[in-house]
């Protein structure tokens, strides 16, 4: 049950931050948090990560429903096996998937707002790169996937010792 609470917390934080951005900033408006490095920038995305598959709303809705059902099923299986890290990771995936699902279902687009810009010199050449704008749900999904990967490596290492 606690893993569903974690997913709900991710969903709540995601939806609250999206609402704050959508209701207080015009699309394209930016507010610096740490100079030009980190800004809150109001953006909408009708596609997936990095803006791919634009205007495929129903595809994402169907895929997300299948993914959510799979996550819930697998989380139950992992909980019975006592896999706490995987269950926590799946709760992050669930909360993130539901956060972006709600946006797509209700509005046909996802509210993104976290923007990072990297400026540095690389072997004497100036580099100026702005990472694609994302949101709390995206962050939870990435962290969840990273935790599943870490758990897989730890299990692989443990199995090699045996």
């Amino acid at each position: 049950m606690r893993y569903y609470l974690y997913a709900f917390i991710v969903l709540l934080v995601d939806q609250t931050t999206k609402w704050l951005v959508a209701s207080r900033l015009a699309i394209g408006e930016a507010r610096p948090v740490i100079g030009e490095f980190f800004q809150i920038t109001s953006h909408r995305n009708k596609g997936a990560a990095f803006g791919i598959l634009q205007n495929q709303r129903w595809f994402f809705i169907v895929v997300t429903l299948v993914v959510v059902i799979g996550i819930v099923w697998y989380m139950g299986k992992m909980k019975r096996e006592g896999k706490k890290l995987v269950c926590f990771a799946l709760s992050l995936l669930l909360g993130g998937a539901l956060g972006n699902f709600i946006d797509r279902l209700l509005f046909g687009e996802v509210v993104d707002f976290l923007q990072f810009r990297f400026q540095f010199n690389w072997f004497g050449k100036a580099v100026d790169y702005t990472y694609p704008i994302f949101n709390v749900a995206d962050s939870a999904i990435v962290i969840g996937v990273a935790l599943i990967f870490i758990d897989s490596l730890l299990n692989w290492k443990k199995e090699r010792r045996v």
Side-chain angles (χ1 to χ4, degrees), residues 22-63:
S23 65
R24 298 184 180 183
L25 296 176
I27 295 175
E29 186 177 353
R31 300 263 172 93
V33 177
I34 304 174
E36 289 185 16
F37 170 68
F38 173 47
Q39 298 183 56
I40 302 296
T41 303
S42 183
H43 179 73
R44 303 299 180 276
N45 184 0
K46 293 184 180 192
F50 309 109
I52 62 171
L53 297 172
Q54 287 292 313
N55 299 310
Q56 300 298 315
R57 177 183 185 189
W58 291 106
F59 170 76
F60 289 118
I61 288 172
V62 170
V63 167

Side-chain angles (χ1 to χ4, degrees), residues 36 42 64 68 84 86 88 91 100 115 120 124 141 159:
E36 289 185 16
S42 183
T64 303
V68 164
K84 292 180 181 179
V86 172
F88 179 69
S91 70
N100 284 338
Q115 181 178 5
F120 55 91
I141 291 168
E159 288 173 4

Side-chain angles (χ1 to χ4, degrees), residues 13 22 31 33 50 63 70 88 90 92-93 108 134 158:
V13 170
R31 300 263 172 93
V33 177
F50 309 109
V63 167
F88 179 69
L90 290 170
L92 295 177
L93 288 173
F134 60 100
K158 190 186 301 182

Side-chain angles (χ1 to χ4, degrees), residues 10 14 18 92-93 95-100 135-142:
V10 168
D14 176 66
K18 288 174 179 175
L92 295 177
L93 288 173
L98 289 173
N100 284 338
N135 59 43
V136 172
D138 299 334
S139 301
I141 291 168
V142 168

Side-chain angles (χ1 to χ4, degrees), residues 76-94:
K77 184 176 190 245
M78 292 295 99
K79 188 175 178 200
R80 286 189 296 279
E81 293 180 16
K83 306 272 186 162
K84 292 180 181 179
L85 181 59
V86 172
C87 287
F88 179 69
L90 290 170
S91 70
L92 295 177
L93 288 173
L94 181 61

